[in-house]
Amino acid sequence: LHDIGKIGIPDSVLHKPGKLTEEEWRIMRTHDQMRVAIIRAARASEDLIRIIQTHQARFEGSTADPSMPARDKIPLGSRILSVAEAFDSMVTGSVYRTAKSLEEAFQELRAHAGTQFDPDIVERFIREVSASDTNRCERPDRLSTRSLDVISASIDELMSALEGENTSAVGNAAWRIKGIAARDGNQQLLELAKELEQLAAQQGDMAAINSCAQTLIHTASTSAS
């Protein structure tokens, strides 16, 4: 739920290739307040709201925002979410940033341990992810159970976008599938999603987009079986 506020951010800003303008950054920053308003309206617990409000607090404290807690005053859930969010962003990448390998992401987390992140959480997180990655290597190109529902919804969105020849929606669906494939270590699906995202961004030949998309859909179905 930490990024639910992005539901109010236009896709043209959220998935823009290249640098954002100052006005676009202002729009992006509104999701901080929006996400809290949404989950509060949904009658979420105050503990959950507090986690989402403080998950960007720096472990060493912030001179820019002294109202933010530091060290063990930061809720444990916030410290965990902070590390998980940074890691997810690094290994998934975006339209303007290449995804990092696991080792590169681990190095980046450790470089900021004690300043941005709780160093104990960083080391525990790395141990858990490394163990999970070992298990994935024993089952190549399989999607985790928790990813199947998200993949299914993204495939439905992709098929609808193809039918309407909506290249922007095709790119958005490919972007989501790419993130899931990266997290699950499904290299074949990851490469296809990257290719489809690039074709959609270029607004190229719909025949090529359709061909790539159908291959991706078949690969996703195979990975789920």
Side-chain angles (χ1 to χ4, degrees):
L1 294 177
H2 73 283
D3 265 349
I4 194 171
K6 286 184 178 176
I7 196 170
I9 305 295
D11 284 345
S12 60
V13 175
L14 195 58
H15 304 308
K16 177 184 176 180
K19 294 183 178 180
L20 299 181
T21 65
E22 189 59 40
E23 174 62 17
E24 288 167 339
W25 272 118
R26 187 194 64 77
I27 294 172
M28 281 291 289
R29 284 191 286 269
T30 63
H31 92 281
D32 290 342
Q33 296 79 35
M34 195 179 300
R35 62 189 173 201
V36 172
I38 290 172
I39 62 170
R40 179 166 279 139
R43 301 178 185 272
S45 74
E46 285 301 319
D47 287 341
L48 175 59
I49 292 171
R50 181 63 175 161
I51 286 172
I52 294 174
Q53 286 176 321
T54 60
H55 81 280
Q56 292 181 334
R58 291 177 63 83
F59 185 72
E60 66 175 357
S62 172
T63 55
D65 188 357
S67 68
M68 280 287 193
R71 299 186 175 274
D72 60 359
K73 299 298 183 183
I74 305 171
L76 177 60
S78 301
R79 284 176 272 152
I80 294 171
L81 180 56
S82 175
V83 173
E85 178 188 43
F87 174 81
D88 180 66
S89 176
M90 286 187 282
V91 300
T92 302
S94 68
V95 292
Y96 53 84
R97 183 181 61 250
T98 303
K100 294 180 181 291
S101 68
L102 285 185
E103 286 305 319
E104 288 172 333
F106 293 161
Q107 289 174 11
E108 189 75 11
L109 290 175
R110 283 177 169 142
H112 297 279
T115 53
Q116 183 175 351
F117 308 118
D118 181 330
D120 292 335
I121 298 295
V122 166
E123 291 307 319
R124 176 64 181 269
F125 182 87
I126 289 173
R127 287 200 303 272
E128 293 294 335
V129 172
S130 297
S132 175
D133 190 57
T134 299
N135 291 334
R136 276 202 303 268
C137 290
E138 295 171 357
R139 299 177 289 107
D141 291 334
R142 293 294 301 275
L143 292 169
S144 67
T145 303
R146 69 190 178 119
S147 296
L148 295 181
D149 286 344
V150 183
I151 279 284
S152 178
S154 296
I155 292 297
D156 288 344
E157 178 187 345
L158 175 58
M159 293 176 69
S160 176
L162 290 171
E163 185 176 347
E165 297 190 356
N166 186 335
T167 55
S168 177
V170 168
N172 289 340
W175 180 77
R176 276 187 280 277
I177 293 169
K178 181 182 71 173
I180 297 165
R183 285 192 292 273
D184 278 12
N186 190 316
Q187 194 62 35
Q188 186 179 12
L189 189 60
L190 175 62
E191 293 303 322
L192 284 168
K194 285 181 178 179
E195 181 183 352
L196 181 58
E197 183 184 32
Q198 184 175 17
L199 286 170
Q202 295 170 347
Q203 297 185 341
D205 179 22
M206 279 304 300
I209 291 174
N210 269 290
S211 176
C212 182
Q214 293 305 324
T215 304
L216 184 152
I217 291 169
H218 174 74
T219 301
S221 301
T222 302
S223 300
S225 62

